[in-house]
Structures are given as structure tokens and as C-alpha cells.
């Protein structure tokens, strides 16, 4: 559950973005890219397992059905 | 064409942040990572700003040493620089604290850290484990407990999707009986 420190974090980040319009995007992109790289790396490992490709297909279906 | 091999250099900023932080924590106490980062480490393509970590309760003196070690290694606590204040005003009151890498903007990711608070947390600590598929050298709470918390306690759309995702990844090994027991305990202790 979100607590007070989470709300403080949201405020802190919003203030930084406002005060540093030319800097925040590069830093944030690196961080977001890292999360997608992590997912990509995981799927490469999952694909090597016995049922991996089948599971990846199921996950794709799950994402499509969500839309 | 030169073959690209994966190795140590394959780590991204998120891997390095989490593993660096955990290497310091485990010198002083046991920990486990739970919630959103478990799903992200298992391939959920969504973003999060924080990594949730629960640690065993430690005395103030031990926490002070741990905090100083974190600071020495370029982490900063967003709540205060004073370890005694962090311990007394936050941790011991059951509140979380947040560490980031020292930088101008104090960018995410943040490590959100708190003490174990009840037998649910203690059980997760006892059952903490690594997940080889993630290629991360980190301890996580069990998949069953993550699913139980997301389906019974958190319940946002994002959490329900995370739970479904984990159910597919571990469909052949999930212990439904264990999930139900954790859910029952959540109802009793947290709701």
C-alpha cells in the first residue's frame, strides 16, 4: 500500500521535472529502457525452458485481451 | 559477424542499482524483495519507480552502520541524513524509508525499505528465494505470496495483471493450497 513517503517521492520528482526541463528526460529514459531490457532478458531465458515458448504465447494473448 | 555474448557488462542500471543495494544490506541483515519488482524481473513490461524491500528488525546501532555503509557507497536516504532519526521516526514506527543513488535530481529507481511487521512478513522472510530465470542475484518472496497479496490485498488492475502474469510463468509449479492459506492470513491480519 502506498504511504506518505510515496506521495513525497511523486512531489519531489514533479518538482525536479518542472525545474529541469532539459535534463529529466534523458535520465528517465535510461531508467525506463532498463525495465524493458530486463523484460527482454527474461523472455530470452524463458524461451530456453521446456514450456517457455508456450508460456510466452499465453502472455501475448493475455496482453492482447487486455486491450 | 562478431558474436555478442552476454556477461557482466550486460547488466543495466536497474540490475546494478538493485544488486549493489542488496549486497550492502545482506552484510547486516536478511531481506527479501516483493511486489511490483518481482513481476518486472519476470518480464512484465510495465514501469515502476520503486523496489519494495522488507528487512528483519535490527537494533539502532546495526542500522546506523548499515546506513553509513549505504552512504559510503553512493546511496542517499530521502527522509533524512541522520540514521537515528530515520530509525526512530520511520522504521520503528512501521513506516518505510527510501534510498536513491546520489545525483542531482535524485532520480528513480528508489529502494523502499521497511521492517518486517507481522507473521506474514516473517513467513515470507523464511521462504525467500532467488529465481534463476531472472538472472538476478537477489532474494525475493515466494511467487505464491506475491500472487496472494496482489489478488487478495492490493487488487488494482495492474496488480491483478501482475498476478496473472506470474501464474502463467509458474503454472506447472504453483501451490494453490499455499496461495489460499496466505490469502486467509491476509484477511485475518491485514484487512
Amino acid at each position: 500500500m502506498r504511504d506518505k513517503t510515496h506521495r513525497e517521492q511523486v512531489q519531489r520528482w514533479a518538482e525536479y521535472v518542472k525545474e529541469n526541463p532539459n535534463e529529466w528526460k534523458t535520465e528517465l529514459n535510461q531508467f525506463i529502457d532498463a525495465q524493458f531490457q530486463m523484460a527482454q532478458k527474461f523472455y530470452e531465458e524463458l524461451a530456453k525452458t521446456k514450456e517457455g515458448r508456450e508460456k510466452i504465447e499465453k502472455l501475448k494473448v493475455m496482453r492482447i485481451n487486455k486491450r | 559477424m562478431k558474436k555478442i555474448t552476454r556477461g557482466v557488462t550486460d547488466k543495466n542500471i536497474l540490475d546494478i542499482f538493485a544488486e549493489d543495494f542488496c549486497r550492502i544490506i545482506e552484510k547486516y541483515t536478511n531481506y527479501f524483495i516483493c511486489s511490483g519488482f518481482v513481476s518486472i524481473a519476470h518480464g512484465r513490461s510495465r514501469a515502476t519507480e520503486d523496489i519494495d524491500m522488507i528487512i528483519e528488525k535490527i537494533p539502532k546501532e546495526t542500522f546506523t552502520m548499515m546506513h553509513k555503509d549505504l552512504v559510503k557507497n553512493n546511496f542517499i536516504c530521502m527522509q533524512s541524513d541522520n540514521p537515528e532519526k530515520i530509525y526512530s521516526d520511520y522504521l520503528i514506527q512501521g513506516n518505510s524509508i527510501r534510498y536513491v543513488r546520489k545525483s542531482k535530481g535524485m532520480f528513480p529507481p528508489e529502494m523502499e525499505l521497511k521492517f518486517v511487521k507481522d507473521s506474514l512478513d516473517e513467513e515470507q522472510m523464511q521462504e525467500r528465494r532467488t529465481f534463476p530465470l531472472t538472472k538476478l542475484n537477489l532474494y525475493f518472496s515466494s511467487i505464491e505470496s506475491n500472487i496472494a497479496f496482489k489478488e487478495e490485498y492490493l487488487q488494482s488492475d495492474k496488480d491483478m495483471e501482475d498476478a496473472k502474469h506470474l501464474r502463467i510463468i509458474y503454472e506447472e509449479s504453483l501451490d494453490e493450497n499455499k496461495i489460499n492459506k496466505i490469502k486467509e492470513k491476509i484477511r485475518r491480519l491485514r484487512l
Side-chain angles (χ1 to χ4, degrees), chain B:
Chain B
M1 188 185 289
K2 191 179 173 187
K3 190 181 174 192
I4 299 168
T5 51
R6 291 195 177 281
V8 176
T9 52
D10 194 36
K11 299 279 183 192
N12 62 52
I13 56 164
L14 193 54
D15 299 333
I16 294 166
F17 174 86
E19 289 185 342
D20 283 358
F21 195 90
C22 291
R23 291 300 78 77
I24 297 167
I25 297 298
E26 67 193 4
K27 291 196 292 188
Y28 301 92
T29 187
N30 289 324
Y31 76 89
F32 66 87
I33 288 170
C34 56
S35 208
F37 191 71
V38 180
S39 308
I40 287 168
H42 282 89
R44 267 280 278 160
S45 48
R46 70 167 179 86
T48 188
E49 291 157 334
D50 40 38
I51 301 173
D52 296 289
M53 170 185 272
I54 296 181
I55 65 170
E56 285 178 344
K57 274 185 189 155
I58 48 176
K60 193 189 282 185
E61 296 73 25
T62 311
F63 173 74
T64 300
M65 284 193 288
M66 187 174 85
H67 172 83
K68 285 179 179 172
D69 202 351
L70 287 165
V71 170
K72 196 175 87 184
N73 284 280
N74 220 23
F75 290 99
I76 184 167
C77 179
M78 300 312 296
Q79 277 62 49
S80 172
D81 292 328
N82 180 344
E84 292 204 1
K85 184 176 165 60
I86 300 168
Y87 189 90
S88 308
D89 291 1
Y90 289 88
L91 287 173
I92 215 69
Q93 311 279 346
N95 297 317
S96 62
I97 56 172
R98 289 164 179 267
Y99 284 90
V100 294
R101 284 280 193 200
K102 273 180 207 159
S103 65
K104 187 185 167 195
M106 308 300 179
F107 301 106
E110 298 193 348
M111 188 65 79
E112 183 180 347
L113 185 152
K114 57 185 151 190
F115 281 161
V116 289
K117 71 172 174 188
D118 56 20
S119 60
L120 262 169
D121 286 345
E122 283 161 10
E123 279 172 22
Q124 289 184 86
M125 187 69 80
Q126 282 164 15
E127 294 186 357
R128 70 187 189 138
R129 50 165 297 184
T130 57
F131 291 107
L133 276 176
T134 67
K135 292 278 172 190
L136 292 168
N137 189 17
L138 304 172
Y139 282 105
F140 296 96
S141 49
S142 71
I143 295 300
E144 283 86 354
S145 68
N146 278 284
I147 289 173
F149 269 93
K150 284 175 179 298
E151 291 180 346
E152 193 69 24
Y153 187 62
L154 299 166
Q155 295 188 332
S156 71
D157 287 349
K158 177 187 71 182
D159 292 302
M160 298 307 275
E161 286 160 14
D162 282 356
K164 199 170 174 188
H165 179 94
L166 292 173
R167 280 185 174 280
I168 292 172
I169 303 286
Y170 290 103
E171 59 189 3
E172 72 287 350
S173 58
L174 278 183
D175 183 343
E176 285 297 334
N177 193 35
K178 188 173 168 183
I179 293 174
N180 289 331
K181 279 184 181 167
I182 299 169
K183 284 183 176 179
E184 191 279 322
K185 207 161 185 180
I186 290 170
R187 287 194 290 275
R188 197 153 36 87
L189 295 176
R190 301 280 177 99
L191 296 178

Side-chain angles (χ1 to χ4, degrees), chain A residues 13-26:
Chain A
W13 179 249
E15 281 167 6
Y16 181 79
V17 168
K18 194 175 171 186
E19 287 161 16
N20 299 274
N22 300 321
E23 293 170 24
W24 67 271
K25 204 174 275 185
T26 312

